[in-house]
Amino acid sequence: NMEKKPVLYSGIQPTGILTIGNFIGAINNWLKIQEDYFSIYSIVDLHAITVRQDPIEYRSRALSFYAQYIACGLDPEKSILYFQSHVHQHAELTWILNCYSYLGELRRMTQYKEKSKKNADNLNVGLLDYPVLMAADILLYQASVVPVGIDQKQHLELARDIADRFNNIYGQTFTIPEVYLGKQGNKIFSLQDPFAKMSKSDPNPDAAVSIIESPDSIARKFKRAVTDSESVVEYREDKPGISNLLVILSSMTDKSIDTLVNEYHDAGYKKFKEDVAEAVIEKLRPVREDYERLMKDKAYLLNIAGQGASRAAALAERTLAKVKKKIGLIERPSLN
Ligand code: TYM
């Protein structure tokens, strides 16, 4: 009966560190709506190899991200938590959807343009094809809602276009997914540059805070956070650093920005930053503790990852078989 609920799908690349940006923009929203949906969450380990990864580091980071999902409160009993590479249907549907996606629309993707500049020495086909794999992720499970940060919105629109194009040719095959953006915090900014997105793989360690970071280190990073030369705490476009901290504090405490501005208007930046750090530390304390406990039992993690993959594959196969039939591929004869 779980499957009668509408399907929610989302994923995260296992690169760099899982940041409070990923937490506020994605995971925290997943937690808020997880009861209303049949939820499927993946570690998209095929997406992240579009950039070169060290195999040994990559393997341990992917498992660490998986443990962080669970430590955040995603429930492997109520939802499906799995590694994308364990379900081969993703790669297979990607090939098929490639034949229904246009070079022009892929070249127009903002993230592709940025990434191709950054990876001029490794401008591989995967970078361009990335959004088609993402479309396959979502469409395989007939997902109706995809909660992401604003940076993924354009990819979602492309997934909708591809689904719609396919449905128009072959009749209803894919559910058209809706993007779900949180009311605030769908773009958290770097603590060192309040105009840049907080990124998992920022080379400056002070720019981003990990969700499993030690309290001391969190406190230090907020203390150093770039703000401005005024002294009033207000939410204004010309105060991007302070506004970003207000959004972070609001997301961690569930107090509105207005309430917080009233509370901290004349408190001074030092006190304000200390309290933001404290709220982040308190919110994430149980996550870090749970994470440390989970990482001591890798056999358990791998076991539930295997179960997640089997359940995901069963659902994915239904859609893939339907797609193959619609486009006229011969059904594979079964041998006795
Ligand atoms: P990724 O791994 O870059 O980020 C994971 C999620 O975190 C959100 N996010 C942020 N939100 C607010 N502020 C920020 N600074 C911030 N940085 C990241 C992202 O929007 C995302 O929701 N292509 C995707 C992963 C993916 C996916 C999918 C997502 C692959 N297949 C299918 C949804 C459905 C990505 O690279 O996210």
Side-chain angles (χ1 to χ4, degrees), residues 9-13 21-22 25-26 44 47 84 111 130 134 137-138 146-152 155-156 185-189 197-200:
Y9 191 95
S10 206
I12 289 187
Q13 293 195 76
N22 302 123
V44 293
H47 273 109
Q84 183 189 38
Q111 225 166 56
Y130 183 111
M134 183 162 159
D137 296 343
I138 298 163
V146 182
V148 285
I150 198 120
D151 60 325
Q152 295 301 319
H155 289 160
L156 243 296
N186 53 48
K187 185 168 183 184
I188 298 297
F189 295 88
K197 187 183 80 163
M198 182 180 285
S199 153
K200 285 207 205 79

PDB file of all heavy atoms in Angstrom, residues 9-13 21-22 25-26 44 47 84 111 130 134 137-138 146-152 155-156 185-189 197-200, ligand 1:
ATOM      1  N   TYR A   9      11.099  11.475  -5.636  1.00  0.00           N
ATOM      2  CA  TYR A   9      12.446  11.003  -5.963  1.00  0.00           C
ATOM      3  C   TYR A   9      13.452  12.134  -5.793  1.00  0.00           C
ATOM      4  O   TYR A   9      13.200  13.263  -6.210  1.00  0.00           O
ATOM      5  CB  TYR A   9      12.512  10.505  -7.419  1.00  0.00           C
ATOM      6  CG  TYR A   9      13.809   9.775  -7.709  1.00  0.00           C
ATOM      7  CD1 TYR A   9      13.865   8.393  -7.608  1.00  0.00           C
ATOM      8  CD2 TYR A   9      14.975  10.470  -8.019  1.00  0.00           C
ATOM      9  CE1 TYR A   9      15.066   7.716  -7.827  1.00  0.00           C
ATOM     10  CE2 TYR A   9      16.171   9.802  -8.231  1.00  0.00           C
ATOM     11  CZ  TYR A   9      16.202   8.423  -8.135  1.00  0.00           C
ATOM     12  OH  TYR A   9      17.384   7.747  -8.339  1.00  0.00           O
ATOM     13  N   SER A  10      14.594  11.827  -5.174  1.00  0.00           N
ATOM     14  CA  SER A  10      15.688  12.798  -5.181  1.00  0.00           C
ATOM     15  C   SER A  10      17.029  12.105  -5.005  1.00  0.00           C
ATOM     16  O   SER A  10      17.079  10.956  -4.570  1.00  0.00           O
ATOM     17  CB  SER A  10      15.484  13.881  -4.122  1.00  0.00           C
ATOM     18  OG  SER A  10      16.160  15.062  -4.521  1.00  0.00           O
ATOM     19  N   GLY A  11      18.081  12.794  -5.359  1.00  0.00           N
ATOM     20  CA  GLY A  11      19.418  12.201  -5.280  1.00  0.00           C
ATOM     21  C   GLY A  11      20.484  13.232  -4.984  1.00  0.00           C
ATOM     22  O   GLY A  11      20.260  14.429  -5.155  1.00  0.00           O
ATOM     23  N   ILE A  12      21.612  12.732  -4.529  1.00  0.00           N
ATOM     24  CA  ILE A  12      22.763  13.586  -4.220  1.00  0.00           C
ATOM     25  C   ILE A  12      24.032  12.924  -4.743  1.00  0.00           C
ATOM     26  O   ILE A  12      24.201  11.712  -4.616  1.00  0.00           O
ATOM     27  CB  ILE A  12      22.857  13.835  -2.692  1.00  0.00           C
ATOM     28  CG1 ILE A  12      21.713  14.758  -2.234  1.00  0.00           C
ATOM     29  CG2 ILE A  12      24.217  14.406  -2.300  1.00  0.00           C
ATOM     30  CD1 ILE A  12      21.788  15.200  -0.782  1.00  0.00           C
ATOM     31  N   GLN A  13      24.916  13.725  -5.329  1.00  0.00           N
ATOM     32  CA  GLN A  13      26.198  13.190  -5.808  1.00  0.00           C
ATOM     33  C   GLN A  13      27.168  12.994  -4.651  1.00  0.00           C
ATOM     34  O   GLN A  13      27.326  13.904  -3.834  1.00  0.00           O
ATOM     35  CB  GLN A  13      26.854  14.183  -6.755  1.00  0.00           C
ATOM     36  CG  GLN A  13      26.132  14.395  -8.045  1.00  0.00           C
ATOM     37  CD  GLN A  13      27.062  15.101  -9.017  1.00  0.00           C
ATOM     38  OE1 GLN A  13      27.974  14.510  -9.580  1.00  0.00           O
ATOM     39  NE2 GLN A  13      26.823  16.381  -9.233  1.00  0.00           N
ATOM     40  N   GLY A  21      24.135  23.340   3.033  1.00  0.00           N
ATOM     41  CA  GLY A  21      23.360  23.765   1.857  1.00  0.00           C
ATOM     42  C   GLY A  21      22.520  22.610   1.331  1.00  0.00           C
ATOM     43  O   GLY A  21      21.328  22.762   1.071  1.00  0.00           O
ATOM     44  N   ASN A  22      23.129  21.437   1.205  1.00  0.00           N
ATOM     45  CA  ASN A  22      22.386  20.237   0.778  1.00  0.00           C
ATOM     46  C   ASN A  22      21.317  19.889   1.810  1.00  0.00           C
ATOM     47  O   ASN A  22      20.220  19.448   1.466  1.00  0.00           O
ATOM     48  CB  ASN A  22      23.312  19.020   0.632  1.00  0.00           C
ATOM     49  CG  ASN A  22      24.449  19.242  -0.352  1.00  0.00           C
ATOM     50  OD1 ASN A  22      25.608  19.104  -0.005  1.00  0.00           O
ATOM     51  ND2 ASN A  22      24.120  19.616  -1.579  1.00  0.00           N
ATOM     52  N   GLY A  25      18.605  22.890   1.599  1.00  0.00           N
ATOM     53  CA  GLY A  25      17.963  22.954   0.287  1.00  0.00           C
ATOM     54  C   GLY A  25      17.277  21.663  -0.118  1.00  0.00           C
ATOM     55  O   GLY A  25      16.322  21.673  -0.891  1.00  0.00           O
ATOM     56  N   ALA A  26      17.741  20.530   0.400  1.00  0.00           N
ATOM     57  CA  ALA A  26      17.193  19.251  -0.056  1.00  0.00           C
ATOM     58  C   ALA A  26      16.738  18.367   1.120  1.00  0.00           C
ATOM     59  O   ALA A  26      15.541  18.236   1.379  1.00  0.00           O
ATOM     60  CB  ALA A  26      18.219  18.530  -0.931  1.00  0.00           C
ATOM     61  N   VAL A  44      23.822   9.254  -6.241  1.00  0.00           N
ATOM     62  CA  VAL A  44      23.996   9.149  -7.696  1.00  0.00           C
ATOM     63  C   VAL A  44      25.482   9.012  -8.075  1.00  0.00           C
ATOM     64  O   VAL A  44      26.119   9.938  -8.569  1.00  0.00           O
ATOM     65  CB  VAL A  44      23.298  10.304  -8.458  1.00  0.00           C
ATOM     66  CG1 VAL A  44      21.780  10.191  -8.301  1.00  0.00           C
ATOM     67  CG2 VAL A  44      23.743  11.676  -7.978  1.00  0.00           C
ATOM     68  N   HIS A  47      26.505   9.708 -11.747  1.00  0.00           N
ATOM     69  CA  HIS A  47      26.631  11.127 -12.122  1.00  0.00           C
ATOM     70  C   HIS A  47      28.008  11.676 -11.764  1.00  0.00           C
ATOM     71  O   HIS A  47      28.612  12.424 -12.530  1.00  0.00           O
ATOM     72  CB  HIS A  47      25.564  11.963 -11.397  1.00  0.00           C
ATOM     73  CG  HIS A  47      24.269  12.019 -12.130  1.00  0.00           C
ATOM     74  ND1 HIS A  47      23.142  11.361 -11.697  1.00  0.00           N
ATOM     75  CD2 HIS A  47      23.925  12.660 -13.280  1.00  0.00           C
ATOM     76  CE1 HIS A  47      22.154  11.593 -12.547  1.00  0.00           C
ATOM     77  NE2 HIS A  47      22.599  12.366 -13.514  1.00  0.00           N
ATOM     78  N   GLN A  84      22.701   4.442  -7.072  1.00  0.00           N
ATOM     79  CA  GLN A  84      22.274   4.450  -8.480  1.00  0.00           C
ATOM     80  C   GLN A  84      22.969   3.356  -9.289  1.00  0.00           C
ATOM     81  O   GLN A  84      22.328   2.666 -10.093  1.00  0.00           O
ATOM     82  CB  GLN A  84      22.637   5.834  -9.038  1.00  0.00           C
ATOM     83  CG  GLN A  84      22.240   6.122 -10.459  1.00  0.00           C
ATOM     84  CD  GLN A  84      22.869   7.438 -10.895  1.00  0.00           C
ATOM     85  OE1 GLN A  84      24.005   7.761 -10.538  1.00  0.00           O
ATOM     86  NE2 GLN A  84      22.123   8.215 -11.654  1.00  0.00           N
ATOM     87  N   GLN A 111      24.455  24.418 -16.031  1.00  0.00           N
ATOM     88  CA  GLN A 111      25.471  23.670 -15.304  1.00  0.00           C
ATOM     89  C   GLN A 111      26.500  23.048 -16.259  1.00  0.00           C
ATOM     90  O   GLN A 111      27.675  22.986 -15.942  1.00  0.00           O
ATOM     91  CB  GLN A 111      24.822  22.598 -14.439  1.00  0.00           C
ATOM     92  CG  GLN A 111      25.432  22.579 -13.056  1.00  0.00           C
ATOM     93  CD  GLN A 111      24.638  21.781 -12.049  1.00  0.00           C
ATOM     94  OE1 GLN A 111      24.344  20.602 -12.235  1.00  0.00           O
ATOM     95  NE2 GLN A 111      24.289  22.422 -10.960  1.00  0.00           N
ATOM     96  N   TYR A 130      24.755  14.277 -18.671  1.00  0.00           N
ATOM     97  CA  TYR A 130      24.368  14.274 -17.262  1.00  0.00           C
ATOM     98  C   TYR A 130      22.854  14.468 -17.016  1.00  0.00           C
ATOM     99  O   TYR A 130      22.225  13.680 -16.310  1.00  0.00           O
ATOM    100  CB  TYR A 130      25.202  15.369 -16.589  1.00  0.00           C
ATOM    101  CG  TYR A 130      25.063  15.542 -15.120  1.00  0.00           C
ATOM    102  CD1 TYR A 130      26.105  15.207 -14.257  1.00  0.00           C
ATOM    103  CD2 TYR A 130      23.909  16.085 -14.563  1.00  0.00           C
ATOM    104  CE1 TYR A 130      25.994  15.397 -12.893  1.00  0.00           C
ATOM    105  CE2 TYR A 130      23.783  16.273 -13.209  1.00  0.00           C
ATOM    106  CZ  TYR A 130      24.829  15.932 -12.375  1.00  0.00           C
ATOM    107  OH  TYR A 130      24.709  16.111 -11.028  1.00  0.00           O
ATOM    108  N   MET A 134      19.868  12.029 -15.311  1.00  0.00           N
ATOM    109  CA  MET A 134      19.008  12.533 -14.229  1.00  0.00           C
ATOM    110  C   MET A 134      17.528  12.357 -14.584  1.00  0.00           C
ATOM    111  O   MET A 134      16.711  11.980 -13.735  1.00  0.00           O
ATOM    112  CB  MET A 134      19.349  14.001 -13.962  1.00  0.00           C
ATOM    113  CG  MET A 134      18.586  14.604 -12.822  1.00  0.00           C
ATOM    114  SD  MET A 134      19.393  16.119 -12.230  1.00  0.00           S
ATOM    115  CE  MET A 134      17.988  16.869 -11.416  1.00  0.00           C
ATOM    116  N   ASP A 137      16.703   8.760 -14.001  1.00  0.00           N
ATOM    117  CA  ASP A 137      16.530   8.490 -12.560  1.00  0.00           C
ATOM    118  C   ASP A 137      15.070   8.697 -12.165  1.00  0.00           C
ATOM    119  O   ASP A 137      14.438   7.863 -11.512  1.00  0.00           O
ATOM    120  CB  ASP A 137      17.332   9.479 -11.694  1.00  0.00           C
ATOM    121  CG  ASP A 137      18.840   9.376 -11.866  1.00  0.00           C
ATOM    122  OD1 ASP A 137      19.311   8.356 -12.388  1.00  0.00           O
ATOM    123  OD2 ASP A 137      19.531  10.337 -11.462  1.00  0.00           O
ATOM    124  N   ILE A 138      14.583   9.854 -12.538  1.00  0.00           N
ATOM    125  CA  ILE A 138      13.269  10.298 -12.067  1.00  0.00           C
ATOM    126  C   ILE A 138      12.153   9.533 -12.767  1.00  0.00           C
ATOM    127  O   ILE A 138      11.201   9.058 -12.148  1.00  0.00           O
ATOM    128  CB  ILE A 138      13.124  11.810 -12.345  1.00  0.00           C
ATOM    129  CG1 ILE A 138      14.194  12.584 -11.559  1.00  0.00           C
ATOM    130  CG2 ILE A 138      11.728  12.310 -12.030  1.00  0.00           C
ATOM    131  CD1 ILE A 138      14.413  14.005 -12.060  1.00  0.00           C
ATOM    132  N   VAL A 146       9.863  16.066  -7.195  1.00  0.00           N
ATOM    133  CA  VAL A 146      11.315  16.005  -7.066  1.00  0.00           C
ATOM    134  C   VAL A 146      11.778  17.227  -6.265  1.00  0.00           C
ATOM    135  O   VAL A 146      11.878  18.331  -6.802  1.00  0.00           O
ATOM    136  CB  VAL A 146      11.986  15.980  -8.454  1.00  0.00           C
ATOM    137  CG1 VAL A 146      13.496  15.866  -8.322  1.00  0.00           C
ATOM    138  CG2 VAL A 146      11.447  14.819  -9.287  1.00  0.00           C
ATOM    139  N   PRO A 147      12.040  17.050  -4.969  1.00  0.00           N
ATOM    140  CA  PRO A 147      12.492  18.182  -4.154  1.00  0.00           C
ATOM    141  C   PRO A 147      13.994  18.403  -4.300  1.00  0.00           C
ATOM    142  O   PRO A 147      14.792  17.513  -4.013  1.00  0.00           O
ATOM    143  CB  PRO A 147      12.146  17.756  -2.713  1.00  0.00           C
ATOM    144  CG  PRO A 147      11.910  16.284  -2.754  1.00  0.00           C
ATOM    145  CD  PRO A 147      11.869  15.825  -4.180  1.00  0.00           C
ATOM    146  N   VAL A 148      14.372  19.580  -4.781  1.00  0.00           N
ATOM    147  CA  VAL A 148      15.782  19.910  -5.035  1.00  0.00           C
ATOM    148  C   VAL A 148      16.016  21.389  -4.708  1.00  0.00           C
ATOM    149  O   VAL A 148      15.063  22.140  -4.499  1.00  0.00           O
ATOM    150  CB  VAL A 148      16.161  19.683  -6.522  1.00  0.00           C
ATOM    151  CG1 VAL A 148      16.299  18.215  -6.851  1.00  0.00           C
ATOM    152  CG2 VAL A 148      15.160  20.359  -7.449  1.00  0.00           C
ATOM    153  N   GLY A 149      17.273  21.794  -4.706  1.00  0.00           N
ATOM    154  CA  GLY A 149      17.616  23.207  -4.621  1.00  0.00           C
ATOM    155  C   GLY A 149      17.418  23.853  -5.990  1.00  0.00           C
ATOM    156  O   GLY A 149      17.257  23.167  -7.003  1.00  0.00           O
ATOM    157  N   ILE A 150      17.459  25.188  -6.022  1.00  0.00           N
ATOM    158  CA  ILE A 150      17.112  25.905  -7.251  1.00  0.00           C
ATOM    159  C   ILE A 150      18.080  25.603  -8.397  1.00  0.00           C
ATOM    160  O   ILE A 150      17.706  25.659  -9.574  1.00  0.00           O
ATOM    161  CB  ILE A 150      17.022  27.430  -6.985  1.00  0.00           C
ATOM    162  CG1 ILE A 150      16.255  28.133  -8.100  1.00  0.00           C
ATOM    163  CG2 ILE A 150      18.388  28.070  -6.830  1.00  0.00           C
ATOM    164  CD1 ILE A 150      15.045  28.840  -7.629  1.00  0.00           C
ATOM    165  N   ASP A 151      19.317  25.217  -8.054  1.00  0.00           N
ATOM    166  CA  ASP A 151      20.308  24.943  -9.105  1.00  0.00           C
ATOM    167  C   ASP A 151      19.923  23.745  -9.980  1.00  0.00           C
ATOM    168  O   ASP A 151      20.453  23.597 -11.067  1.00  0.00           O
ATOM    169  CB  ASP A 151      21.705  24.720  -8.490  1.00  0.00           C
ATOM    170  CG  ASP A 151      21.729  23.549  -7.520  1.00  0.00           C
ATOM    171  OD1 ASP A 151      20.728  23.322  -6.818  1.00  0.00           O
ATOM    172  OD2 ASP A 151      22.753  22.842  -7.473  1.00  0.00           O
ATOM    173  N   GLN A 152      19.013  22.904  -9.513  1.00  0.00           N
ATOM    174  CA  GLN A 152      18.607  21.724 -10.292  1.00  0.00           C
ATOM    175  C   GLN A 152      17.313  21.937 -11.078  1.00  0.00           C
ATOM    176  O   GLN A 152      16.835  21.031 -11.763  1.00  0.00           O
ATOM    177  CB  GLN A 152      18.461  20.509  -9.379  1.00  0.00           C
ATOM    178  CG  GLN A 152      19.774  20.073  -8.746  1.00  0.00           C
ATOM    179  CD  GLN A 152      20.829  19.723  -9.789  1.00  0.00           C
ATOM    180  OE1 GLN A 152      20.542  19.099 -10.800  1.00  0.00           O
ATOM    181  NE2 GLN A 152      22.057  20.174  -9.548  1.00  0.00           N
ATOM    182  N   HIS A 155      17.414  21.347 -14.884  1.00  0.00           N
ATOM    183  CA  HIS A 155      17.487  19.924 -15.225  1.00  0.00           C
ATOM    184  C   HIS A 155      16.119  19.256 -15.111  1.00  0.00           C
ATOM    185  O   HIS A 155      15.777  18.370 -15.903  1.00  0.00           O
ATOM    186  CB  HIS A 155      18.494  19.201 -14.312  1.00  0.00           C
ATOM    187  CG  HIS A 155      19.921  19.549 -14.587  1.00  0.00           C
ATOM    188  ND1 HIS A 155      20.930  19.349 -13.676  1.00  0.00           N
ATOM    189  CD2 HIS A 155      20.507  20.089 -15.690  1.00  0.00           C
ATOM    190  CE1 HIS A 155      22.077  19.746 -14.195  1.00  0.00           C
ATOM    191  NE2 HIS A 155      21.849  20.198 -15.415  1.00  0.00           N
ATOM    192  N   LEU A 156      15.356  19.681 -14.117  1.00  0.00           N
ATOM    193  CA  LEU A 156      14.007  19.132 -13.936  1.00  0.00           C
ATOM    194  C   LEU A 156      13.099  19.492 -15.106  1.00  0.00           C
ATOM    195  O   LEU A 156      12.307  18.674 -15.578  1.00  0.00           O
ATOM    196  CB  LEU A 156      13.408  19.720 -12.650  1.00  0.00           C
ATOM    197  CG  LEU A 156      13.099  18.736 -11.560  1.00  0.00           C
ATOM    198  CD1 LEU A 156      12.025  17.771 -12.002  1.00  0.00           C
ATOM    199  CD2 LEU A 156      14.366  17.954 -11.215  1.00  0.00           C
ATOM    200  N   GLY A 185      15.671  28.990   1.456  1.00  0.00           N
ATOM    201  CA  GLY A 185      16.854  28.146   1.595  1.00  0.00           C
ATOM    202  C   GLY A 185      17.108  27.246   0.398  1.00  0.00           C
ATOM    203  O   GLY A 185      17.887  26.319   0.497  1.00  0.00           O
ATOM    204  N   ASN A 186      16.443  27.528  -0.742  1.00  0.00           N
ATOM    205  CA  ASN A 186      16.736  26.680  -1.893  1.00  0.00           C
ATOM    206  C   ASN A 186      18.051  27.080  -2.574  1.00  0.00           C
ATOM    207  O   ASN A 186      18.485  26.454  -3.521  1.00  0.00           O
ATOM    208  CB  ASN A 186      15.565  26.606  -2.874  1.00  0.00           C
ATOM    209  CG  ASN A 186      15.085  27.963  -3.280  1.00  0.00           C
ATOM    210  OD1 ASN A 186      15.885  28.816  -3.634  1.00  0.00           O
ATOM    211  ND2 ASN A 186      13.769  28.169  -3.228  1.00  0.00           N
ATOM    212  N   LYS A 187      18.681  28.133  -2.041  1.00  0.00           N
ATOM    213  CA  LYS A 187      20.073  28.411  -2.416  1.00  0.00           C
ATOM    214  C   LYS A 187      20.794  29.012  -1.213  1.00  0.00           C
ATOM    215  O   LYS A 187      20.581  30.177  -0.876  1.00  0.00           O
ATOM    216  CB  LYS A 187      20.132  29.351  -3.627  1.00  0.00           C
ATOM    217  CG  LYS A 187      21.551  29.564  -4.115  1.00  0.00           C
ATOM    218  CD  LYS A 187      21.589  30.256  -5.469  1.00  0.00           C
ATOM    219  CE  LYS A 187      23.017  30.385  -5.967  1.00  0.00           C
ATOM    220  NZ  LYS A 187      23.089  31.130  -7.236  1.00  0.00           N
ATOM    221  N   ILE A 188      21.620  28.200  -0.589  1.00  0.00           N
ATOM    222  CA  ILE A 188      22.441  28.663   0.531  1.00  0.00           C
ATOM    223  C   ILE A 188      23.787  29.088  -0.053  1.00  0.00           C
ATOM    224  O   ILE A 188      24.305  28.432  -0.957  1.00  0.00           O
ATOM    225  CB  ILE A 188      22.626  27.525   1.581  1.00  0.00           C
ATOM    226  CG1 ILE A 188      21.267  27.115   2.176  1.00  0.00           C
ATOM    227  CG2 ILE A 188      23.610  27.942   2.689  1.00  0.00           C
ATOM    228  CD1 ILE A 188      20.545  28.198   2.962  1.00  0.00           C
ATOM    229  N   PHE A 189      24.317  30.204   0.459  1.00  0.00           N
ATOM    230  CA  PHE A 189      25.533  30.760  -0.131  1.00  0.00           C
ATOM    231  C   PHE A 189      26.777  30.409   0.693  1.00  0.00           C
ATOM    232  O   PHE A 189      26.679  30.066   1.879  1.00  0.00           O
ATOM    233  CB  PHE A 189      25.378  32.283  -0.271  1.00  0.00           C
ATOM    234  CG  PHE A 189      24.287  32.650  -1.248  1.00  0.00           C
ATOM    235  CD1 PHE A 189      22.965  32.788  -0.821  1.00  0.00           C
ATOM    236  CD2 PHE A 189      24.577  32.804  -2.595  1.00  0.00           C
ATOM    237  CE1 PHE A 189      21.948  33.084  -1.728  1.00  0.00           C
ATOM    238  CE2 PHE A 189      23.561  33.101  -3.509  1.00  0.00           C
ATOM    239  CZ  PHE A 189      22.250  33.236  -3.070  1.00  0.00           C
ATOM    240  N   LYS A 197      27.194  30.130  -4.608  1.00  0.00           N
ATOM    241  CA  LYS A 197      26.484  29.015  -3.982  1.00  0.00           C
ATOM    242  C   LYS A 197      27.424  28.253  -3.043  1.00  0.00           C
ATOM    243  O   LYS A 197      28.597  28.064  -3.368  1.00  0.00           O
ATOM    244  CB  LYS A 197      25.996  28.072  -5.094  1.00  0.00           C
ATOM    245  CG  LYS A 197      25.097  26.950  -4.615  1.00  0.00           C
ATOM    246  CD  LYS A 197      24.710  26.024  -5.760  1.00  0.00           C
ATOM    247  CE  LYS A 197      25.820  25.031  -6.077  1.00  0.00           C
ATOM    248  NZ  LYS A 197      25.365  23.879  -6.893  1.00  0.00           N
ATOM    249  N   MET A 198      26.919  27.836  -1.891  1.00  0.00           N
ATOM    250  CA  MET A 198      27.719  26.943  -1.050  1.00  0.00           C
ATOM    251  C   MET A 198      27.852  25.628  -1.807  1.00  0.00           C
ATOM    252  O   MET A 198      26.849  25.032  -2.189  1.00  0.00           O
ATOM    253  CB  MET A 198      27.071  26.715   0.314  1.00  0.00           C
ATOM    254  CG  MET A 198      27.927  25.830   1.226  1.00  0.00           C
ATOM    255  SD  MET A 198      27.222  25.530   2.862  1.00  0.00           S
ATOM    256  CE  MET A 198      27.495  27.079   3.692  1.00  0.00           C
ATOM    257  N   SER A 199      29.110  25.218  -2.038  1.00  0.00           N
ATOM    258  CA  SER A 199      29.323  24.040  -2.875  1.00  0.00           C
ATOM    259  C   SER A 199      30.016  22.949  -2.084  1.00  0.00           C
ATOM    260  O   SER A 199      30.868  23.215  -1.238  1.00  0.00           O
ATOM    261  CB  SER A 199      30.169  24.470  -4.090  1.00  0.00           C
ATOM    262  OG  SER A 199      30.897  23.374  -4.579  1.00  0.00           O
ATOM    263  N   LYS A 200      29.649  21.703  -2.398  1.00  0.00           N
ATOM    264  CA  LYS A 200      30.235  20.524  -1.758  1.00  0.00           C
ATOM    265  C   LYS A 200      31.736  20.446  -1.914  1.00  0.00           C
ATOM    266  O   LYS A 200      32.410  19.882  -1.086  1.00  0.00           O
ATOM    267  CB  LYS A 200      29.723  19.272  -2.480  1.00  0.00           C
ATOM    268  CG  LYS A 200      28.353  18.874  -2.198  1.00  0.00           C
ATOM    269  CD  LYS A 200      28.339  17.369  -2.449  1.00  0.00           C
ATOM    270  CE  LYS A 200      26.984  16.872  -2.807  1.00  0.00           C
ATOM    271  NZ  LYS A 200      26.727  17.178  -4.216  1.00  0.00           N
TER     272      LYS A 200
HETATM  273  P1  TYM B   1      23.930  17.837  -5.866  1.00  0.00           P
HETATM  274  O1  TYM B   1      24.583  16.600  -5.426  1.00  0.00           O
HETATM  275  O2  TYM B   1      24.785  18.942  -6.416  1.00  0.00           O
HETATM  276  O3  TYM B   1      23.113  18.487  -4.673  1.00  0.00           O
HETATM  277  C1  TYM B   1      22.180  17.711  -3.930  1.00  0.00           C
HETATM  278  C2  TYM B   1      20.968  18.553  -3.585  1.00  0.00           C
HETATM  279  O4  TYM B   1      21.337  19.678  -2.792  1.00  0.00           O
HETATM  280  C3  TYM B   1      20.874  20.878  -3.427  1.00  0.00           C
HETATM  281  N1  TYM B   1      21.869  21.924  -3.176  1.00  0.00           N
HETATM  282  C4  TYM B   1      21.628  23.079  -2.540  1.00  0.00           C
HETATM  283  N2  TYM B   1      20.509  23.588  -2.021  1.00  0.00           N
HETATM  284  C5  TYM B   1      20.592  24.809  -1.443  1.00  0.00           C
HETATM  285  N3  TYM B   1      21.735  25.523  -1.346  1.00  0.00           N
HETATM  286  C6  TYM B   1      22.893  25.052  -1.865  1.00  0.00           C
HETATM  287  N4  TYM B   1      24.008  25.752  -1.762  1.00  0.00           N
HETATM  288  C7  TYM B   1      22.864  23.767  -2.494  1.00  0.00           C
HETATM  289  N5  TYM B   1      23.809  23.006  -3.103  1.00  0.00           N
HETATM  290  C8  TYM B   1      23.179  21.878  -3.517  1.00  0.00           C
HETATM  291  C9  TYM B   1      20.761  20.522  -4.890  1.00  0.00           C
HETATM  292  O5  TYM B   1      19.881  21.368  -5.578  1.00  0.00           O
HETATM  293  C10 TYM B   1      20.263  19.097  -4.824  1.00  0.00           C
HETATM  294  O6  TYM B   1      18.866  19.058  -4.600  1.00  0.00           O
HETATM  295  N6  TYM B   1      22.084  16.482 -10.305  1.00  0.00           N
HETATM  296  C11 TYM B   1      21.823  16.474  -8.876  1.00  0.00           C
HETATM  297  C12 TYM B   1      21.655  15.082  -8.293  1.00  0.00           C
HETATM  298  C13 TYM B   1      20.631  14.239  -8.961  1.00  0.00           C
HETATM  299  C14 TYM B   1      19.235  14.293  -8.772  1.00  0.00           C
HETATM  300  C15 TYM B   1      18.686  13.256  -9.581  1.00  0.00           C
HETATM  301  C16 TYM B   1      18.393  15.100  -8.004  1.00  0.00           C
HETATM  302  C17 TYM B   1      20.875  13.233  -9.842  1.00  0.00           C
HETATM  303  N7  TYM B   1      19.702  12.629 -10.220  1.00  0.00           N
HETATM  304  C18 TYM B   1      17.315  13.044  -9.640  1.00  0.00           C
HETATM  305  C19 TYM B   1      17.029  14.879  -8.070  1.00  0.00           C
HETATM  306  C20 TYM B   1      16.494  13.848  -8.879  1.00  0.00           C
HETATM  307  C21 TYM B   1      23.000  17.130  -8.173  1.00  0.00           C
HETATM  308  O7  TYM B   1      24.077  17.217  -8.699  1.00  0.00           O
HETATM  309  O8  TYM B   1      22.749  17.509  -6.885  1.00  0.00           O
END
